[in-house]
Amino acid sequence: MLAVALLVFTTSLTAQSLTQAERRARLDSVLTMRYYKTPYDTNYVVRPEGRLTLKVRMNQTGNSFHAKGTVDDVYAKADLSTSHKTTFSISAIYRGIGIGLAINPWKWGGIYKDYEFNLNYYSSRLSLDLSYQRSESLTGDMLFDDVPKRLEQGDVAMKMLNAAAYYTFNHRRFSYPAAFTQSYIQKHSAGSWLAGISYQGGSLKTTDELLARNPNAPETRIYIGHFGIGGGYGYNWVLGRKWLLHFSMLPTFVVFNRNNMTVRGQRKKAEHMRFNMIFNERAAVVYQFSPRYFAGATLVMNNSVFDDERVVVNQNKWRARAIFGLRL
């Protein structure tokens, strides 16, 4: 009886083990089919070989502002910029599904205290860049009633959201992921017309710490809120099977804005309908050392250009990234 029981138990374990192996094989088969089921023309864009991709990235971001306006017959002007944020990240992607970890050594040391969230989504047809930043690291110069003032970290608090969404018309032959996520490989050069929307919104205001330290400082709040619609063009240039160069631009025309400036309780609004623009630029370079190793760099920028007799608010937001990857 004991021998029979042991035989039944061993057979049960073997069957269970085979079932788990079959489940893993079936899951891997489903992921593989999903991974290689491409929406692209494979004469132009293909999936890289290998199941697992490991990447190391260094990211740096920055933001700068130019604002001016006349409120209650008093002219005010400010040129401010945040401190640069630098992070390092590692990620592992298996058949298109990945996890990652980002670290900021300066934040651990208490040097960098700002908060920033970035979301980037790139597919064959639709792409999205979104960033939210909360900062008190802005520094720069302010002119108020012909009196220059120096603003240091902690004097101005900022909350800012930037978003841009694209639609790619030539989505069968032109690939954003090939340039920015390296989840595809662009085999031959191709370009595409783009359609998209842009949004920038948030506020900058003087803090209680500044007013407590300097009672004569003007209590100032600058509000930004504008929405744009437009079109542009992007191009992937393939050189010698190893180099990929990308550049794209999407200028959008602002169809609605709520920009205003408040100084000591007096508010001045920008005109709602003006010939103002938001530019969204992207650039990338990727080099394939071999089918297994690659490296690259990317740049994403959002620039606003406004000309208004009442209130002018211009922003320049950027993110640069260096990449090294291994495919297994």
Side-chain angles (χ1 to χ4, degrees):
M1 290 295 295
L2 180 58
V4 173
L6 288 174
L7 179 60
V8 172
F9 181 71
T10 302
T11 303
S12 176
L13 287 178
T14 302
Q16 183 179 2
S17 177
L18 289 175
T19 301
Q20 291 176 351
E22 290 173 353
R23 288 177 179 175
R24 287 195 297 268
R26 179 174 295 182
L27 177 60
D28 185 72
S29 176
V30 171
L31 292 176
T32 300
M33 291 179 61
R34 175 182 175 273
Y35 183 72
Y36 285 107
K37 186 181 179 181
T38 174
Y40 293 103
D41 179 348
T42 54
N43 291 318
Y44 282 81
V45 182
V46 296
R47 282 287 196 183
E49 295 298 327
R51 297 183 178 184
L52 179 66
T53 301
L54 304 175
K55 291 198 291 187
V56 178
R57 301 184 301 192
M58 184 184 75
N59 315 281
Q60 189 170 74
T61 62
N63 207 348
S64 60
F65 296 89
H66 169 74
K68 64 180 180 180
T70 301
V71 181
D72 198 22
D73 296 327
V74 176
Y75 178 75
K77 176 183 176 182
D79 292 289
L80 305 171
S81 60
T82 64
S83 62
H84 294 170
K85 173 190 174 184
T86 303
T87 60
F88 298 89
S89 64
I90 57 175
S91 62
I93 304 97
Y94 183 83
R95 295 300 197 203
I97 299 176
I99 58 174
L101 173 67
I103 60 174
N104 186 340
W106 289 268
K107 196 172 185 67
W108 288 354
I111 299 175
Y112 184 88
K113 298 181 180 180
D114 294 352
Y115 170 81
E116 184 170 348
F117 171 78
N118 288 279
L119 173 65
N120 308 106
Y121 172 76
Y122 303 108
S123 70
S124 59
R125 300 192 184 197
L126 296 175
S127 299
L128 171 67
D129 286 319
L130 183 147
S131 69
Y132 173 77
Q133 188 175 15
R134 186 176 67 238
S135 171
E136 291 191 7
S137 69
L138 288 97
T139 60
D141 299 310
M142 183 176 183
L143 184 68
F144 180 76
D145 199 15
D146 294 328
V147 178
K149 300 180 182 296
R150 178 66 184 177
L151 298 177
E152 303 295 344
Q153 292 192 15
D155 292 345
V156 178
M158 178 196 74
K159 296 179 181 179
M160 193 62 56
L161 174 67
N162 290 272
Y166 299 67
Y167 179 84
T168 303
F169 287 98
N170 190 19
H171 51 81
R172 291 279 294 163
R173 296 181 176 182
F174 171 81
S175 173
Y176 264 119
F180 289 92
T181 66
Q182 297 79 50
S183 56
Y184 286 90
I185 294 177
Q186 185 89 39
K187 294 175 61 178
H188 300 290
S189 301
S192 176
W193 292 104
L194 309 169
I197 58 175
S198 301
Y199 175 79
Q200 293 181 346
S203 65
L204 296 89
K205 63 178 182 178
T206 52
T207 62
D208 295 337
E209 289 77 5
L210 171 64
L211 301 177
R213 189 177 70 253
N214 185 0
N216 295 324
E219 183 178 358
T220 306
R221 180 182 183 272
I222 301 169
Y223 178 81
I224 303 171
H226 37 252
F227 176 81
I229 300 175
Y233 191 79
Y235 194 77
N236 282 345
W237 189 16
V238 178
L239 298 173
R241 296 186 179 181
K242 290 183 177 293
W243 289 96
L244 171 63
L245 304 181
H246 168 92
F247 180 77
S248 60
M249 175 178 287
L250 178 73
T252 60
F253 297 91
V254 174
V255 296
F256 177 76
N257 87 78
R258 296 179 56 199
N259 297 349
N260 63 73
M261 178 185 292
T262 304
V263 180
R264 290 177 175 169
Q266 300 295 320
R267 176 177 295 184
K268 179 70 72 173
K269 297 181 180 180
E271 296 183 18
H272 289 305
M273 298 299 295
R274 295 283 294 181
F275 185 74
N276 299 320
M277 299 187 69
I278 303 173
F279 291 92
N280 303 280
E281 306 101 348
R282 296 175 183 172
V285 54
V286 180
Y287 181 75
Q288 303 282 344
F289 295 97
S290 69
R292 295 185 61 186
Y293 299 97
F294 62 91
T298 65
L299 177 66
V300 177
M301 298 182 64
N302 307 100
N303 313 101
S304 56
V305 179
F306 290 88
D307 184 14
D308 189 279
E309 296 178 356
R310 300 177 181 179
V311 177
V312 173
V313 183
N314 295 328
Q315 180 190 195
N316 179 25
K317 178 74 171 69
W318 58 270
R319 188 205 68 209
R321 172 174 289 170
I323 307 158
F324 179 79
L326 168 65
R327 299 186 179 104
L328 301 174

